[in-house]
Amino acid sequence: MIESKESFSFQPSLIGGNLSIRPLYREDFDSLFTCASDKKIWAGHPHSDRYQKPVFEKWFETAIDSKATIVVINNNTNEIIGSSRFYWLDTIPDDISIGFTFLACQYWGGQTNFELKTLMLNYAFNFFDTVWFHIAPSNIRSQKATQKIGCTFSHEEMLKISTKDELWYCYRMEKASWLTIINSKNND
């Protein structure tokens, strides 16, 4: 059963096996910048200079102002290891989107992204039937990571997701598809 979209929280606090997510707070700046200051995180990203403190400060203010950004916490160390965000687009008002995600490099290639997206998708599918991911054409690593969790490429579209209209690759996950993925993982 789908809950009312009006009760959806853009900044839920959720606990998984290895990760937790919670709202981004202003006092998280130093910990999140420590994570984000690795130049490799932003290679291939449209904002490849975001590892620089002045650039990251601008991003951080936008993230705080969004009231939708969450931080990702390693449950074993209690360290912030990245962030993500839920967001709405006027062009798809009945769906929700996930994006603005980054993780510290040491968490790439394993189960961390899948666990993060599992927390976020499981929560989102209580309210929505479709979740979108919008990825810059130059961001090959994020495209591969999105496909790896089972999202399907839908189309390209000019969208204003941050400050200006840009071309985005649009991936989608349907609730029924996600339940099939999760059930198959649970049966492995």
Side-chain angles (χ1 to χ4, degrees):
M1 179 175 163
I2 299 282
E3 296 181 36
S4 167
K5 291 176 180 124
E6 289 75 33
S7 60
F8 178 80
S9 171
F10 282 87
Q11 293 179 296
S13 292
L14 305 170
I15 300 171
N18 297 304
L19 303 176
S20 297
I21 63 173
R22 64 157 173 80
L24 172 69
Y25 301 120
R26 190 160 297 283
E27 54 269 17
D28 293 327
F29 179 84
D30 290 336
S31 296
L32 193 56
F33 179 66
T34 297
C35 171
S37 64
D38 187 333
K39 194 175 186 177
K40 288 183 284 187
I41 290 175
W42 308 106
H45 189 275
H47 302 282
S48 59
D49 59 351
R50 196 171 282 160
Y51 67 93
Q52 299 171 4
K53 194 168 189 175
V55 177
F56 187 79
E57 286 170 338
K58 290 177 186 173
W59 175 88
F60 188 83
E61 286 305 314
T62 302
I64 287 287
D65 291 346
S66 76
K67 296 181 176 33
T69 304
I70 52 99
V71 290
V72 184
I73 298 167
N74 177 326
N75 289 344
N76 297 317
T77 64
N78 210 31
E79 292 176 309
I80 292 175
I81 63 167
S83 77
S84 193
R85 187 183 307 178
F86 287 108
Y87 62 95
W88 243 318
L89 289 179
D90 293 340
T91 56
I92 46 173
D94 293 331
D95 301 336
I96 195 73
S97 300
I98 294 174
F100 300 90
T101 304
F102 72 88
L103 292 169
C105 294
Q106 64 262 38
Y107 296 95
W108 293 358
Q111 289 297 311
T112 304
N113 186 55
F114 187 80
E115 185 174 349
L116 169 60
K117 296 307 184 333
T118 297
L119 285 170
M120 295 179 79
L121 287 166
N122 285 346
Y123 177 73
F125 285 132
N126 289 313
F127 303 89
F128 303 93
D129 288 321
T130 304
V131 175
W132 290 91
F133 295 80
H134 304 96
I135 303 170
S138 64
N139 196 340
I140 305 299
R141 188 177 65 246
S142 288
Q143 291 171 40
K144 288 180 179 181
T146 302
Q147 293 167 359
K148 190 175 177 180
I149 65 169
C151 293
T152 305
F153 177 79
S154 174
H155 63 282
E156 312 178 353
E157 187 174 349
M158 292 295 290
L159 297 167
K160 186 176 181 177
I161 292 177
S162 52
T163 57
K164 61 183 179 181
D165 282 337
E166 297 176 280
L167 181 66
W168 295 92
Y169 287 175
C170 303
Y171 291 81
R172 69 188 297 156
M173 177 66 75
E174 300 291 335
K175 184 176 184 176
S177 298
W178 180 245
L179 292 175
T180 300
I181 291 167
I182 290 297
N183 286 336
S184 72
K185 290 257 183 211
N186 290 338
N187 291 331
D188 285 347

